[in-house]
Amino acid sequence: MKRIALLFAALLAFAGMAFAAVNINSATKEQLESLNGIGPVKAQAIIDYRAKNGPFKSVDDVKKVNGVGDATFDKIKGDISLSGTTVPVKTESKTEKVEKKVDAAADKTKEKATEAKAAVKEKAADAKADTKAGAATVTQKASNVTADVKEKATDAKATVKEKGTDAKATTKEKTADVKADVKEMTTKTDTAAEKKAAADKKAADKKAVAEKAAADKKEAAAKAAAEKKAAADKKVAEKKAAAEKKAEADKKAADDKKAAADKKKEEDKAAKK
């Protein structure tokens, strides 16, 4: 009996899988649109929910998708499954496609209207609260301004009186300071002139010493250069004289040798005669 019950349960599950044509965990947008009551907007909403929350755990979970209520679920529950290969439920007629588009547009319009209504309500509440707060703020600001004006007038009188007294004292003090500054500046000017004169003299003496040292160095360099040139000229002259003397001696020896050769030649010639 237990085996028969299990077999019967398995057959029911298999039958459910066989008749369910669209796998809501893997179907594309076009395949989802083949379901009765599911247009482009609801199909995209199913895909977005699936991408955000993961696969559906039960077919009833599809009702958690925005726009899929009990009425839509009753239309598609016999054609959806959680597994298996998706096979489009049927080929839609033009009328059904138009109806889906109309349903999608209606859902979208309804959703926008709800959002607009909530936004208007929220803005009205905010405006009302702002008006009350603004009125209270204006009253408080007026009181604060009156108090500030009175306080500032009192402070201004006291400040003017205090500043008048301070101005007199400051004038006397500044006059004394100016006199002291003039005296100090005169003393400083004399001291600065003396320091400048001493510095100028020191600079002039230093410049004179430097110029003398430069002149002495230049003179010594010129003298050394002249002596070096004289020695070089002397060496060149001596070398030239030695070369000329040698050349003269070589020439004399050559002439003597030639004369001897000529003489011998004449002697030989005379002997042959």
Side-chain angles (χ1 to χ4, degrees):
M1 187 67 181
K2 189 176 181 180
R3 289 182 180 179
I4 292 172
L6 290 172
L7 181 60
F8 182 70
L11 287 172
L12 286 176
F14 179 76
M17 290 176 62
F19 286 110
V22 177
N23 180 353
I24 57 174
N25 281 328
S26 62
T28 63
K29 182 178 178 181
E30 290 75 12
Q31 291 170 340
L32 289 168
E33 288 178 23
S34 69
L35 292 167
N36 185 22
I38 301 296
V41 176
K42 292 180 181 178
Q44 186 61 49
I46 292 171
I47 292 172
D48 293 340
Y49 180 90
R50 189 174 67 198
K52 182 179 179 181
N53 301 286
F56 294 97
K57 303 295 187 299
S58 69
V59 292
D60 288 339
D61 285 345
V62 77
K63 290 192 289 184
K64 296 178 181 178
V65 176
N66 186 28
V68 180
D70 291 332
T72 303
F73 178 73
D74 290 337
K75 293 179 184 178
I76 65 173
K77 63 183 179 181
D79 296 323
I80 60 175
S81 68
L82 301 176
S83 61
T85 304
T86 295
V87 178
V89 176
K90 60 182 178 178
T91 304
E92 293 179 324
S93 65
K94 290 183 178 180
T95 303
E96 289 174 334
K97 288 182 178 180
V98 170
E99 287 177 352
K100 282 191 175 182
K101 288 183 179 180
V102 170
D103 290 341
D107 291 340
K108 197 168 184 181
T109 302
K110 187 177 179 181
E111 183 179 351
K112 286 185 177 180
T114 303
E115 292 175 355
K117 188 176 180 181
V120 169
K121 190 174 181 181
E122 184 179 354
K123 285 184 178 179
D126 292 341
K128 190 174 181 181
D130 290 343
T131 302
K132 288 182 179 178
T137 302
V138 169
T139 303
Q140 182 64 37
K141 282 185 177 179
S143 300
N144 292 339
V145 167
T146 303
D148 288 343
V149 169
K150 289 182 179 179
E151 184 178 354
K152 285 181 179 179
T154 304
D155 292 342
K157 289 180 181 178
T159 302
V160 169
K161 188 175 180 180
E162 183 180 354
K163 284 186 176 179
T165 305
D166 291 342
K168 289 181 181 179
T170 302
T171 302
K172 289 182 180 179
E173 185 179 352
K174 284 186 176 180
T175 302
D177 290 342
V178 168
K179 288 181 179 179
D181 290 341
V182 169
K183 186 176 180 180
E184 185 180 355
M185 286 177 66
T186 302
T187 304
K188 285 183 178 179
T189 302
D190 295 340
T191 305
E194 291 173 0
K195 286 184 178 180
K196 186 176 184 304
D200 291 343
K201 186 176 183 302
K202 186 175 180 182
D205 293 342
K206 188 175 181 181
K207 184 179 179 182
V209 171
E211 288 177 350
K212 187 175 185 305
D216 292 342
K217 186 176 180 181
K218 185 177 180 181
E219 185 179 354
K223 185 177 180 181
E227 290 175 354
K228 187 175 181 181
K229 185 174 182 303
D233 292 343
K234 183 179 179 183
K235 189 173 181 181
V236 170
E238 290 175 351
K239 190 173 182 181
K240 184 178 179 183
E244 290 176 351
K245 187 175 181 181
K246 185 175 181 302
E248 187 177 349
D250 291 342
K251 184 179 179 184
K252 187 175 182 302
D255 291 343
D256 291 344
K257 188 175 181 180
K258 183 180 179 185
D262 290 343
K263 184 178 180 182
K264 185 177 179 183
K265 188 176 181 181
E266 289 293 334
E267 289 175 353
D268 290 343
K269 189 176 181 182
K272 285 182 180 179
K273 290 180 178 181

